Amino acid sequence: MGTIHHHHHHHQPSSFPTKKLITGALYALLPLALLRVYLFSIPLNQPKLTNNTQTQETSSPSIPSSQAAEGVEQRHSPRSPRCDYSDGRWVPDSRGPRYNGTSCSTIKDGQNCMAHGRPDAGYLYWRWQPNQCQLPGFDPVSFLQLIQNEHLAFVGDSMARNQVESLLCLLSTATPPDLVHRDGQENKFRRWVFHDYNATISVFWCPFLVKGIEKSAASGLNHNKLYLDSPDERWASELDRMDMVVFSVGHWFLHPAIYYENELVLGCHHCPESNHTEIGFFDVFRRAFKTTLKVASSRYWSSPASSEKLVVVTTFSPAQFEGEWDKFGACPKKEPYKEGEKEMEYMDAEMRKIEVEEVAAAAKEAAESGGRLRIEALDVTKLALLRPDGHPGPYMYPNPFADGIKEKVQNDCVHWCLPGPIDTWNEILMEMIRRWKEKSS
């Protein structure tokens, strides 16, 4: 099966009248055979992020230095002052990673860059330095004490999985996780217990958060179907057994899809063969988050245990293909971008903005209705944007250049090497959980 190229336009909802959006973004449809190995979840349609995909006036808005979502909490937390972890820079760090490709057994094969022969190691020697505070290095024992007798769930796509597998590696330097439940192919639903702490960590494959039918050979669909007013019950039905939940999605919303609300077709994205209205995916992404956060709030309130709950949204992590996904040198960088060296693409900034705004709105509502539920954004979009050196690239496969450099080679420029920059997401998550616990005690 050959590679098919689609040229098409994003027609966005009329709420974006002034923006000439990413005109003619080029989508490459990966062969399905590749999809199997390619994390079952990499978007089939990677937007090609080239300079000509945006007109001048849509060059990315700069990231506001304070998170709106944090505003409601300010006055409650005398012990640790709030810190905007998204505002900072990558600085050299001689410590290096806490684990490696052999010491951690839960690294997904395609993200084990060391074991697959990635020759440079410089990408492992950076740490994130927030401008307003210190970000402590990851402390596995402290983290396990924070989640003792509790259940921390990661819900989303392969980025959620990437983050949970990073966390398991970081924690396993103290004590090994015990895989107690595995359901579905490709490790889509798993649960681990750290017995010394009776702490549970799980991952749920729900790439839309709302109810959806994924395109696949099995479903016979060449597009996704999303039901924007219903949550994906695979996570929602388990909510009362979760104390902390991290939602992480985004890339699957770029695929061709038909959208439903109240059983009626709302519109579609990239569906030339149907007669539905093209509505793009930004507004749909927002509706999916509205539904998700509303369901999380309402079901958490009605659950009999009135314990405090934490909901975290890990923001969108940009794809960083500089060339074709199947050519040599798709993401060749060996070190982070410097401040100001890389402009955020319009689409990536918009995806992040939608998440941050919906979190802020839901957090405000939760605070007003009694405050047992904390909703926060783990705002990593800028951290991710600055680390083009952290992706597996061709090392998603073992020793891709054993027989010399070849021109045709598949690349992963979306997910993160383990160890790698994504370990920092979990350092920030630890601080978020710590602050939340301090406040609720």
Side-chain angles (χ1 to χ4, degrees):
M1 175 181 166
T3 304
I4 308 155
H5 292 286
H6 296 293
H7 290 271
H8 73 283
H9 296 262
H10 294 292
H11 297 292
Q12 285 304 329
S14 57
S15 53
F16 299 93
T18 59
K19 311 270 205 277
K20 297 270 189 297
L21 290 190
I22 320 177
T23 45
L26 177 63
Y27 279 72
L29 189 60
L30 305 182
L32 279 176
L34 165 68
L35 188 63
R36 287 270 130 62
V37 284
Y38 212 64
L39 297 195
F40 59 73
S41 57
I42 235 188
L44 281 183
N45 309 42
Q46 276 305 348
K48 286 291 184 292
L49 301 182
T50 54
N51 293 334
N52 60 6
T53 57
Q54 52 184 37
T55 49
Q56 228 24 62
E57 73 264 29
T58 64
S59 70
S60 96
S62 63
I63 297 187
S65 62
S66 67
Q67 286 160 309
E70 309 261 287
V72 288
E73 306 294 352
Q74 224 100 34
R75 58 190 181 279
H76 297 306
S77 180
R79 277 178 256 190
S80 21
R82 305 300 303 219
C83 176
D84 177 3
Y85 293 107
S86 70
D87 173 30
R89 61 198 189 283
W90 290 99
V91 297
D93 180 23
S94 58
R95 285 176 314 181
R98 310 279 187 289
Y99 62 91
N100 62 42
T102 46
S103 68
C104 180
S105 57
T106 45
I107 300 180
K108 183 177 193 308
D109 203 35
Q111 286 147 19
N112 200 340
C113 305
M114 287 181 180
H116 281 181
R118 178 167 173 172
D120 60 309
Y123 70 98
L124 299 168
Y125 292 88
W126 297 88
R127 68 179 172 82
W128 181 250
Q129 174 59 63
N131 290 332
Q132 304 161 12
C133 61
Q134 286 301 321
L135 177 61
F138 192 86
D139 177 358
V141 171
S142 295
F143 193 99
L144 288 163
Q145 286 167 344
L146 282 173
I147 65 167
Q148 192 154 6
N149 301 322
E150 292 185 331
H151 178 186
L152 165 60
F154 288 78
V155 178
D157 57 19
S158 56
M159 301 309 278
R161 173 177 174 176
N162 204 178
Q163 190 178 351
V164 81
E165 288 175 343
S166 155
L167 181 59
L168 290 167
C169 285
L170 289 163
L171 293 174
S172 66
T173 60
T175 178
D178 181 17
L179 180 65
V180 293
H181 169 80
R182 177 156 84 191
D183 173 30
Q185 80 285 32
E186 313 249 30
N187 290 330
K188 288 184 178 180
F189 299 88
R190 286 174 291 168
R191 193 166 67 245
W192 297 264
V193 174
F194 290 84
H195 293 290
D196 297 350
Y197 298 87
N198 186 31
T200 302
I201 292 180
S202 63
V203 65
F204 291 76
W205 170 254
C206 305
F208 311 115
L209 300 183
V210 292
K211 184 175 141 192
I213 301 169
E214 294 165 34
K215 61 173 170 201
S216 69
S219 70
L221 291 174
N222 66 350
H223 58 267
N224 298 313
K225 283 186 174 180
L226 275 68
Y227 299 86
L228 297 171
D229 46 357
S230 310
D232 188 332
E233 286 298 336
R234 293 177 299 185
W235 68 263
S237 61
E238 297 277 328
L239 200 55
D240 56 345
R241 291 191 277 283
M242 300 171 186
D243 300 284
M244 294 154 274
V245 58
V246 177
F247 293 117
S248 180
V249 296
H251 289 274
W252 275 69
F253 285 81
L254 314 186
H255 297 190
I258 295 178
Y259 308 120
Y260 297 81
E261 211 165 49
N262 304 320
E263 307 293 307
L264 299 170
V265 173
L266 187 70
C268 69
H269 171 54
H270 189 50
C271 51
E273 68 288 346
S274 81
N275 57 1
H276 301 308
T277 311
E278 167 71 55
I279 61 171
F281 52 78
F282 287 150
D283 193 44
V284 166
F285 190 54
R286 188 180 292 280
R287 285 172 195 237
F289 266 100
K290 274 193 202 298
T291 297
T292 296
L293 295 173
K294 193 166 101 215
V295 166
S297 298
S298 59
R299 295 202 190 178
Y300 266 158
W301 292 131
S302 57
S303 78
S306 64
S307 62
E308 303 260 344
K309 306 279 189 178
L310 176 65
V311 172
V312 171
V313 173
T314 301
T315 62
F316 190 71
S317 204
Q320 299 189 294
F321 291 90
E322 294 180 25
E324 301 287 327
W325 63 270
D326 59 350
K327 297 271 199 319
F328 179 72
C331 41
K333 296 270 192 296
K334 302 269 195 295
E335 56 184 41
Y337 286 121
K338 294 177 184 59
E339 187 64 49
E341 184 182 348
K342 176 69 176 161
E343 190 81 46
M344 192 177 294
E345 297 285 342
Y346 179 77
M347 186 200 82
D348 300 326
E350 200 60 33
M351 296 292 272
R352 172 202 167 269
K353 179 167 158 271
I354 289 165
E355 291 172 308
V356 170
E357 287 173 354
E358 291 308 314
V359 164
K364 184 168 182 287
E365 215 162 291
E368 284 162 4
S369 52
R372 280 207 319 269
L373 176 66
R374 171 106 148 225
I375 304 174
E376 286 197 72
L378 174 49
D379 186 2
V380 299
T381 309
K382 178 182 169 187
L383 282 73
L385 176 77
L386 295 174
R387 293 305 307 271
D389 55 329
H391 304 292
Y395 300 98
M396 60 183 286
Y397 295 117
N399 308 311
F401 306 121
D403 314 324
I405 299 290
K406 36 187 195 293
E407 194 45 44
K408 290 290 271 189
V409 59
Q410 290 160 6
N411 290 274
D412 178 356
C413 304
V414 177
H415 302 89
W416 302 99
C417 292
L418 296 182
I422 197 169
D423 296 329
T424 300
W425 295 198
N426 290 316
E427 292 182 337
I428 298 173
L429 178 64
M430 178 167 164
E431 292 310 299
M432 291 169 78
I433 295 173
R434 194 204 308 275
R435 283 202 320 256
W436 166 65
K437 294 271 185 184
E438 276 181 7
K439 179 191 169 253
S440 53
S441 64

